[in-house]
């Protein structure tokens, strides 16, 4: 799609075109990484609605989506349930092992999975994924090890940017934007 793809390299677009699953961390990716508590000790998180909206289009395109988070949070569980993502694994210390199990479960090849992470505990999975991505506001030593650093900061549409890129690389985003219907088939 003319308005989306020129900002990315040919290699990034090629990798995005092979994607059948988008796995992501939550804190620092879907959120800005801050953890707030109200007076009664309940955790409060802010999520970007634009990230949520792209999930439905990814699902219609047959793209698997899911969270692999190091923390346990009722707010994250609720948000993932609202979005009807394919899985929400929380409290995961060994993200690489979970990533491998999910690839086997969904019968995916490494090149078919993008992982979006933002910190040290995400590095093993970022190194394994066929297409590794981090938000603009993460540490330089993370940025140096990924295929794509998004324009968006954590909590500001990182998943949306990656979802748009994946859909555009497959020729689907243009059809959605033009209103050519919501029934389409992924051809890869």
């Amino acid at each position: 799609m003319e308005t989306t793809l020129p900002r990315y390299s040919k290699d990034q677009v090629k990798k995005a075109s092979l994607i059948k699953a988008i796995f992501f961390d939550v804190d620092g990716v879907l959120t800005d990484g801050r953890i707030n508590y109200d007076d009664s000790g309940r955790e409060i998180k802010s999520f970007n609605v634009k990230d949520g909206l792209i999930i439905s289009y990814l699902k219609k395109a047959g793209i698997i989506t899911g969270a692999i988070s190091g923390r346990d949070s009722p707010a994250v569980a609720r948000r993932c349930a609202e979005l009807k993502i394919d899985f929400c694994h929380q409290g995961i210390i060994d993200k690489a092992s979970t990533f491998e199990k999910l690839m086997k479960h969904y019968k995916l090849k490494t090149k078919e999975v993008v992982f979006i992470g933002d910190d040290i505990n995400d590095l093993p999975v970022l190194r394994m994924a066929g297409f590794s991505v981090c938000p603009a506001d993460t540490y330089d030593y993370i940025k140096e090890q990924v295929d794509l650093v998004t324009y968006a900061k954590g909590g500001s549409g990182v998943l949306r940017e990656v979802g748009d890129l994946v859909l555009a690389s497959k020729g689907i985003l243009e059809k959605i934007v033009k209103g050519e219907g919501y029934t389409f088939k992924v051809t890869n």
Side-chain angles (χ1 to χ4, degrees), residues 113-171:
V113 184
V114 61
F115 183 72
I116 311 168
D118 72 308
D119 217 332
I120 293 170
N121 61 336
D122 296 316
L123 281 173
V125 184
L126 289 166
R127 291 178 184 133
M128 294 169 69
F131 190 25
S132 57
V133 179
C134 73
D137 59 340
T138 195
Y139 299 99
D140 287 341
Y141 56 84
I142 305 291
K143 292 177 184 178
E144 293 167 359
Q145 298 190 52
V146 299
D147 297 308
L148 173 68
V149 177
T150 61
Y151 292 89
K153 294 179 179 180
S156 297
V158 172
L159 179 59
R160 175 58 177 267
E161 185 177 331
V162 174
D164 280 358
L165 171 58
V166 168
L167 293 174
S169 72
K170 296 174 180 289

Side-chain angles (χ1 to χ4, degrees), residues 22 24 30 50-61 63 65-66 83-86 159-160:
I22 301 176
F24 46 85
L30 294 187
K50 292 175 183 152
D51 286 333
L53 181 63
I54 202 63
I55 296 281
S56 62
Y57 290 100
L58 290 165
K59 288 179 77 68
K60 288 177 186 174
I63 308 292
T65 57
L83 297 177
K84 297 179 175 74
I85 67 169
D86 296 292
L159 179 59
R160 175 58 177 267

Side-chain angles (χ1 to χ4, degrees), residues 4-5 8-22 58 63 111-114 130-133 147-148 161-172 186 188:
T4 304
L5 297 179
Y8 303 104
S9 73
K10 287 181 183 178
D11 186 55
Q12 290 167 333
V13 172
K14 181 180 178 185
K15 285 184 177 198
S17 73
L18 302 174
I19 296 303
K20 293 184 179 179
I22 301 176
L58 290 165
I63 308 292
K111 68 181 180 181
E112 298 171 331
V113 184
V114 61
F131 190 25
S132 57
V133 179
D147 297 308
L148 173 68
E161 185 177 331
V162 174
D164 280 358
L165 171 58
V166 168
L167 293 174
S169 72
K170 296 174 180 289
I172 296 170
V186 176
N188 86 337

